């Protein structure tokens, strides 16, 4: 399980240090792709394969299925940390998440998310009031 919030800085080559706890959970190789809300999603290979199977089962006759599959797979790459624990984030993924310098890596259960630090702060400030409402909605679902 991926948990926690970690602040790191991208170097000039677009490399980001992955926290040791998350590296252990993700394994030697993992998948990085465009995420929702303007961040990047990071999956271990097992979680990625499960997601891949679910998407493969969707009817390709539905435009939403085709669009989301293109979005997720078209932006995906295999990540691997170097000896210093850094992963190279390709330019297209850095652009998607507006990553230039300061980043926040967040463990959210079955995946990690990589956010531009300013955008993460804005997201949290903008959703502070929504958390109580969201909790009420989830309570209705038995969570």
């Amino acid at each position: 399980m991926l948990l926690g919030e970690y602040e790191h800085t991208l170097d000039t080559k677009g490399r980001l240090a992955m926290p040791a706890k998350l590296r252990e959970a993700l394994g030697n190789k993992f998948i990085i792709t465009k995420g929702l809300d303007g961040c990047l999603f990071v999956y271990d290979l097992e979680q990625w394969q499960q997601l891949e199977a679910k998407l493969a089962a969707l009817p390709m006759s539905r435009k939403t299925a085709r669009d989301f599959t293109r979005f997720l797979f078209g932006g995906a790459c295999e990540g691997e940390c170097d000896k210093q624990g850094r992963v190279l984030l390709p330019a297209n993924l850095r652009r998607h998440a507006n990553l230039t310098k300061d980043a926040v890596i967040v463990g959210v259960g079955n995946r990690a998310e990589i956010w531009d630090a300013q955008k993460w702060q804005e997201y949290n400030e903008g959703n502070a009031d929504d958390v109580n409402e969201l909790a009420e909605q989830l309570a209705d679902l038995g969570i």
Side-chain angles (χ1 to χ4, degrees), residues 1-3 107-112:
M1 179 172 294
L2 302 165
L3 303 170
V108 291
N110 69 339
R111 72 176 182 275

Side-chain angles (χ1 to χ4, degrees), residues 93-112:
L93 294 179
R94 292 194 312 267
R95 280 192 304 273
H96 172 77
N98 196 33
L99 292 165
T100 55
K101 186 176 180 189
D102 296 323
V104 177
I105 306 160
V106 184
V108 291
N110 69 339
R111 72 176 182 275

Side-chain angles (χ1 to χ4, degrees), residues 2 18 22-30 42-45 112:
L2 302 165
M18 292 295 284
L22 296 184
R23 283 196 316 263
E24 289 174 22
L26 289 169
N28 293 332
K29 293 186 180 186
F30 44 88
V42 184
Y43 293 95
D44 68 25
L45 294 180

Side-chain angles (χ1 to χ4, degrees), residues 23 81-86:
R23 283 196 316 263
C81 291
D82 63 15
K83 292 178 183 177
Q84 287 78 36
R86 302 170 301 189

Side-chain angles (χ1 to χ4, degrees), residues 7-123:
E7 296 179 6
H8 287 277
T9 303
L10 275 81
D11 67 14
T12 57
K13 295 179 180 178
R15 295 175 298 193
L16 178 67
M18 292 295 284
K21 288 183 180 181
L22 296 184
R23 283 196 316 263
E24 289 174 22
L26 289 169
N28 293 332
K29 293 186 180 186
F30 44 88
I31 304 297
I32 307 168
T33 191
K34 295 176 184 176
L36 304 175
D37 302 315
C39 70
L40 302 179
F41 287 168
V42 184
Y43 293 95
D44 68 25
L45 294 180
E46 181 181 343
Q47 288 293 325
W48 181 255
Q49 290 167 351
Q50 290 176 16
L51 179 59
E52 184 178 23
K54 289 177 184 177
L55 290 173
L58 295 175
M60 285 298 114
S61 58
R62 297 195 67 182
K63 184 176 179 351
T64 54
R66 292 190 312 271
D67 289 345
F68 191 68
T69 301
R70 284 184 194 116
F71 172 79
L72 212 60
F73 286 92
C77 72
E78 191 174 84
E80 186 173 7
C81 291
D82 63 15
K83 292 178 183 177
Q84 287 78 36
R86 302 170 301 189
V87 62
L88 177 63
L89 299 176
N92 67 316
L93 294 179
R94 292 194 312 267
R95 280 192 304 273
H96 172 77
N98 196 33
L99 292 165
T100 55
K101 186 176 180 189
D102 296 323
V104 177
I105 306 160
V106 184
V108 291
N110 69 339
R111 72 176 182 275
E113 296 179 348
I114 301 173
W115 289 78
D116 169 73
Q118 180 64 35
K119 193 166 191 171
W120 175 247
Q121 182 179 350
E122 291 168 5
Y123 173 82

